[in-house]
Amino acid sequence: MSDNKLGQFPSTRLRRLRMKEFSRRMVSENNLSVNDLIWPLFVCEGNNITDKINSMPGVFRYSIDNILKELETVVKLKIPAIALFPQIDSSLKDEKGSQAIDENNLICRTIKSIKKNFPDLGVICDVALDPYTNHGHDGLVINDVVDNDATLEILEKQALVQAIAGCDIIAPSDMMDGRVMRIRNILDENKFQNTLILSYAAKYASKFYGPFRDAISSSSNLKGGNKFTYQMDVANSYEALREVALDIQEGADMVMVKPGMPYLDIIQKIKSEFNIPTFAYQVSGEYAMIKGAIDNNWLDSKVIKESLLSFKRAGADGILTYFAKEIAEELNNE
Ligand code: PBG
């Protein structure tokens, strides 16, 4: 910017607009709204269960009946969508993640009862095998490698059973190459042309997922201890653009960046390069850090909103956050 455009002190004083609350509101560039929020939820088997997750204070695993109770508030608050994650009994996990394609599995039963009770609430479901495999990987392990093409065979079936159950948005989080195309094809072949795909396009091999893996009990069995052969190297950013470009070509309606706050640069790059609906996932480890500091009185709870606004500044169209419900309550009371 030329000096001319900037103006000059003392005729220009940037503090002038900051002096009163009304003028601060008039010039605020970004706003957080309930429409921006997606609430991730953990579902488990049983009745009347609300289970604590140690590394995520304030977040719970709910049985289906208790999810329905929670969703009454969610719908009242006008949160547009939720994202569902199942905790599968260890007795049902196997090498191939067979439960993932069972049309009566926990996630399909959950979708059906949510859709019956709250038909207008958007339901997002992960497509990946990690909740279902006894080795904790997102795909099939063949000769010690997570095999891309063999995994696609299962992922497309997993997407289809979820769409049949009534899922609105299929969210592949497995990071196999070519999965968006395969999922789009099978959905279209089965007359689910309007089922949306939200691709976890830029998903990093991050340590910030630790608490989530506890929540779905996939951490203790993660063979090899990491997902480096399929999730992205945390050092890379241009590679994220290639991931997004491919997913758009393959039919993704929306893309996601994950984790959130440490990857705001990626959100901004994607949004300015592609202008596609772009979502951020403020993941479990980010939640744990913020929540832990607030619970210890090290930080004021206003940091939650500040963290969510950072996603809006970066260009995100929406945010998956475990804080969705409490922030929606706050926004509705403003
Ligand atoms: C599964 C999946 C993960 C998350 C969402 N879907 C974990 C992983 O890839 O290991 C993480 C979410 C969070 O940490 O809140 N593929």
Side-chain angles (χ1 to χ4, degrees):
M1 250 187 277
S2 69
D3 287 354
N4 207 5
K5 274 193 186 154
L6 270 176
Q8 228 175 24
F9 180 81
S11 59
T12 297
R13 291 176 182 269
L14 293 186
R15 287 188 57 200
R16 214 180 273 137
L17 279 166
R18 297 180 197 139
M19 283 297 162
K20 296 208 166 147
E21 203 249 354
F22 83 85
S23 55
R24 288 194 294 271
R25 278 199 283 137
M26 279 171 74
V27 299
S28 87
E29 296 175 33
N30 289 286
N31 276 304
L32 188 66
S33 124
V34 173
N35 296 336
D36 298 318
L37 303 173
I38 296 167
W39 193 34
L41 267 173
F42 298 107
V43 56
C44 62
E45 293 287 359
N47 284 310
N48 196 20
I49 291 176
T50 295
D51 247 0
K52 282 189 181 153
I53 300 163
N54 286 338
S55 46
M56 300 178 78
V59 174
F60 304 91
R61 276 183 224 103
Y62 303 99
S63 50
I64 297 179
D65 51 344
N66 284 3
I67 283 202
L68 296 179
K69 288 180 205 149
E70 289 294 316
L71 293 188
E72 278 175 29
T73 330
V74 166
V75 168
K76 240 181 245 147
L77 289 167
K78 297 209 162 66
I79 293 176
I82 55 158
L84 286 175
F85 299 96
Q87 184 201 35
I88 302 298
D89 267 15
S90 59
S91 64
L92 291 175
K93 298 189 185 192
D94 62 19
E95 280 287 310
K96 291 182 170 171
S98 313
Q99 264 294 300
I101 59 173
D102 183 328
E103 59 192 24
N104 261 322
N105 68 16
L106 176 60
I107 204 80
C108 290
R109 280 180 280 125
T110 310
I111 301 168
K112 281 183 213 157
S113 47
I114 292 175
K115 278 288 149 187
K116 201 167 134 204
N117 290 276
F118 307 101
D120 299 329
L121 177 68
V123 174
I124 304 172
C125 288
D126 248 40
V127 163
L129 300 183
D130 55 323
Y132 307 96
T133 51
N134 54 16
H135 45 71
H137 279 293
D138 294 26
L140 285 188
V141 179
I142 299 175
N143 298 330
D144 280 341
V145 179
V146 175
D147 189 286
N148 195 85
D149 298 13
T151 300
L152 295 181
E153 302 286 329
I154 303 185
L155 295 179
E156 59 176 34
K157 295 196 181 95
Q158 182 184 17
L160 184 60
V161 296
Q162 293 178 357
I164 292 171
C167 175
D168 301 286
I169 304 180
I170 298 291
S173 73
D174 52 282
M175 289 300 278
M176 297 302 119
D177 287 317
R179 88 270 211 219
V180 172
M181 188 189 349
R182 291 287 289 268
I183 292 171
R184 186 70 271 160
N185 286 346
I186 199 164
L187 292 176
D188 289 355
E189 281 161 16
N190 288 277
K191 306 229 160 29
F192 290 101
Q193 288 93 342
N194 289 327
T195 300
L196 292 158
I197 297 179
L198 165 58
S199 157
Y200 286 73
K203 177 167 179 181
Y204 286 86
S206 170
K207 283 291 175 210
F208 283 102
Y209 309 145
F212 174 98
R213 292 179 189 167
D214 292 341
I216 66 160
S217 315
S218 72
S219 48
S220 49
N221 38 16
L222 182 59
K223 219 169 139 189
N226 66 63
K227 300 186 176 182
F228 292 157
T229 71
Y230 45 108
Q231 297 181 343
M232 280 182 54
D233 183 339
V234 301
N236 296 355
S237 68
Y238 294 106
E239 189 187 355
L241 298 180
R242 299 182 72 196
E243 284 286 359
V244 171
L246 287 169
D247 286 359
I248 294 174
Q249 275 169 27
E250 292 178 28
D253 301 285
M254 305 170 270
V255 296
M256 195 196 297
V257 174
K258 179 174 170 207
M261 263 181 21
Y263 297 84
L264 293 175
D265 57 323
I266 310 298
I267 297 171
Q268 190 161 39
K269 274 205 175 89
I270 290 173
K271 193 67 199 195
S272 55
E273 179 84 18
F274 300 103
N275 217 344
I276 183 173
T278 304
F279 290 78
Y281 197 144
Q282 184 177 55
V283 299
S284 56
E286 298 175 71
Y287 173 86
M289 282 195 308
I290 295 173
K291 183 71 172 163
I294 293 170
D295 288 352
N296 279 290
N297 290 321
W298 297 331
L299 286 175
D300 188 282
S301 62
K302 290 268 183 301
V303 295
I304 300 172
K305 231 165 129 190
E306 184 176 335
S307 73
L308 299 178
L309 260 174
S310 76
F311 295 114
K312 297 294 303 269
R313 271 201 328 276
D317 296 280
I319 308 137
L320 288 92
T321 173
Y322 300 97
F323 291 115
K325 223 171 126 196
E326 64 180 277
I327 288 300
E329 258 155 33
E330 205 180 305
L331 291 170
N332 280 350
N333 290 332
E334 272 175 2

